[in-house]
Amino acid sequence: MGWDGLSLGRRRMVAGLVVAGLALAACAPRFPSSAPPPPGPPPARAEGSGAERHPPADGPLTVALLLPLSGKAGAVGGRLRTAAETMAETTPNRLRLIAFDTQGPQGAVTAARAAIAAHADLIVGPLFGGDAQAVRPIVEEAGLTALALTNNASAGGARLWALGHAPEPQVRRVLALAAGRGEGRVMIIGPDTAYARLALAQARAMAAEAGGVTVVGASLYPPGTPYGALAESLRGMVRTPADVVLIPAGGLDLIAVSSVLAYYGETTGHRPVGTDLWEGPRPLSREASLRGGWFTSANPLSAVPPSAETVAGPPDGGTPQRRDPDKLEALVMDGVAVAQAWDRVTPLAEFLERPGGFSGASGVFRLGPQGDVERAYGVMEIGSGETAVLDPPPAVFPAAGAPLGLGRATLPPEESPASEVPPPNAPIPGV
C-alpha cells in the first residue's frame, strides 16, 4: 500500500503534520544570544581542585544558562531562556540568571568556562548530549554542578545530571505493565535512531531477565523512508502474532507505523505502545490507528494537549489563557526551581540527592550520586475521544520521604494556535 492507498482525510492529515513541522522553525520566537568571552583555561585554584564551591551567604545566587542561542537550535534555546527567566521572576532577587550560547560542543566548553569566570553557583544546561559530555570535566574540575537538559543518560557524571526523559526507564515501565497484564510478546518498529536503538536494547534486556517479556520481532528502518516503501517492508512482519508493538518514535513516524499496523495487522490484535515521544499538540485520540495504545508520561496532566480555546482565546476575542510549559520548557524551569529551593545551608550535593527527590513541572524525579536521574512515569491510554491515565505515576519513590515540591509558573500563550504550529515538544536531542 503506497500514498495512493491512503484515504483523502489521511493524506491531508499527514501533509498537515509536515507543514506544521516546517512552520515550527519559522514561527518559534528568537532571542539575541549572549556571546561568551573568548575561550580560556578554567580559573586557577590553589588547592582542593574539584571541591564543591560555596555560594554567597546572602544576595542572589548566580545561575548560568548554557543554551543554543544561535544556529539551527537557536529558536529552541530562545524558548528555554524565556521559560527560565519566567521561572526566576517568581522569586524576585533570589536568582541572577546569565545566559551563554553553546553553539556546539566546542562552544559549550567555551560557555562553561565563561560561566565559571562569571562566578556561577549552578549551571542549568547544556541541552544536547554531546555538549553535556564536553563540559562535564570542566564543571567537575571547577567544583560546580550542572543540571543538563539532555535525555542522554550516559552524559551524566558526579557533578552533572541529565534531566531529560531517557528512553530506557520508559520502555521498562510500559512493557512491565503490559507483561503484568498478560501481554508480554513484544515487537519493536521505528526509525533507526539512537533513541530507538536504546529502546530496542532495553526491550531485549527485559526479555533476557525472564520477566514475562519476549521479543518476537524488531525492525528499525532508515529515517525518512517513504510511507509506501515502509508499508511494503513491514507487511509480512506485522502479521506476526504479538501482543504489543513498541514504537519508539513520535510525529510522522508514529502515525506511519501505526497506520501500517492497522492496515496489515488488523487480525493480529497488536496494541501500539510507546514513550512520551508520543506527546504533542495533536490529540492522539483523533488517530484511529492509535486507539487502545499506551504511552508513558512523567506528567499525565500535561500529556493531554490544551483545548483550542485555551491556546487561541475564547470565541468572544478575550485574552488567551497562559499555558503550561512544554516538556523541554518544564525541564529548564525545574532546573531553575531547584536553585530557588536550595537553602544554601545544606551542602548542594546533599540537597540535590535528597532521597525523596523533587516534584516539579516535569513530574517527580530524584538525582543519584553519579549523575543518574530517576523519574516516576505513569502510563496513558488512548481512547476514541480522549486520552486518560491508565496507571498513574507513583507519588513517592520506594523507601523514601515525600518529594520536595518545587515552584511552578505558566507561560504566555503561543503566537500561533497549537492546532497550526506545534511547540518543540519532543524530548530532544542528545541521545
Side-chain angles (χ1 to χ4, degrees):
M1 182 179 69
W3 174 264
D4 294 336
L6 293 174
S7 67
L8 178 60
R10 185 172 295 279
R11 290 187 206 175
R12 289 175 175 169
M13 177 190 68
V14 173
L17 284 167
V18 173
V19 171
L22 293 175
L24 172 59
C27 295
R30 301 187 71 87
F31 295 81
S33 61
S34 301
R45 291 150 57 88
E47 60 180 359
S49 179
E52 184 174 312
R53 285 190 171 196
H54 296 286
D58 53 15
L61 286 172
T62 299
V63 176
L65 303 175
L66 268 57
L67 299 170
L69 299 172
S70 61
K72 293 181 180 180
V76 176
R79 290 174 63 96
L80 299 183
R81 180 178 181 177
T82 298
E85 292 171 344
T86 300
M87 189 69 237
E89 289 168 1
T90 63
T91 55
N93 305 318
R94 176 72 176 168
L95 302 179
R96 181 172 75 97
L97 295 186
I98 48 176
F100 299 96
D101 190 356
T102 51
Q103 308 175 63
Q106 187 54 46
V109 168
T110 301
R113 286 175 170 157
I116 294 167
H119 304 290
D121 299 302
L122 179 71
I123 291 175
V124 175
L127 174 60
F128 299 103
D131 291 358
Q133 290 171 328
V135 307
R136 192 175 75 193
I138 306 296
V139 169
E140 292 176 351
E141 171 65 20
L144 264 176
T145 295
L147 301 176
L149 308 177
T150 174
N151 59 1
N152 184 346
S154 67
R159 292 189 181 276
L160 186 146
W161 283 270
L163 295 182
H165 301 187
E168 298 97 325
Q170 298 189 66
V171 169
R172 178 170 289 276
R173 176 72 166 94
V174 72
L175 293 188
L177 180 65
R181 299 191 176 197
E183 299 181 18
R185 296 176 301 170
V186 181
M187 187 182 299
I188 300 94
I189 302 176
D192 189 5
T193 62
Y195 188 100
R197 290 193 293 273
L198 289 173
L200 173 57
Q202 179 63 62
R204 285 175 169 162
M206 294 182 70
E209 295 169 4
V213 171
T214 303
V215 175
V216 298
S219 176
L220 299 184
Y221 55 85
T225 298
Y227 180 81
L230 177 64
E232 184 63 27
S233 68
L234 296 177
R235 180 168 57 177
M237 179 179 177
V238 299
R239 288 174 173 160
T240 302
D243 299 309
V244 299
V245 177
L246 174 64
I247 308 175
L252 294 173
D253 282 298
L254 170 61
I255 292 174
V257 173
S258 66
S259 297
V260 173
L261 289 174
Y263 188 84
Y264 287 119
E266 58 184 351
T267 62
T268 54
H270 300 124
R271 181 194 301 281
V273 299
T275 68
D276 62 3
L277 280 184
W278 289 21
E279 294 179 1
R282 179 183 174 82
L284 295 175
S285 57
R286 293 182 184 176
E287 179 54 46
S289 62
L290 288 173
R291 289 174 189 165
W294 300 346
F295 65 95
T296 52
S297 177
N299 193 349
L301 292 179
S302 67
V304 180
S307 67
E309 180 173 326
T310 298
V311 175
D316 61 7
T319 303
Q321 300 176 24
R322 291 177 67 85
R323 62 181 179 85
D324 290 327
D326 67 32
K327 200 174 307 164
L328 283 177
E329 291 167 334
L331 290 178
V332 75
M333 293 174 83
D334 276 353
V336 172
V338 165
Q340 290 171 317
W342 182 27
D343 60 14
R344 306 194 214 184
V345 176
T346 307
L348 181 56
E350 181 181 336
F351 173 74
L352 293 176
E353 296 169 21
R354 62 190 314 276
F358 303 91
S359 176
S362 65
V364 176
F365 63 97
R366 66 177 171 183
L367 312 179
Q370 294 301 318
D372 49 304
V373 179
E374 183 179 0
R375 286 191 173 275
Y377 289 101
V379 177
M380 309 293 291
E381 182 170 38
I382 304 168
S384 59
E386 64 177 2
T387 298
V389 178
L390 174 67
D391 194 37
V396 298
F397 290 106
L404 176 64
L406 299 176
R408 303 193 188 191
T410 56
L411 297 169
E414 296 287 341
E415 291 186 355
S416 301
S419 58
E420 297 177 9
V421 182
N425 226 16
I428 273 209
V431 170

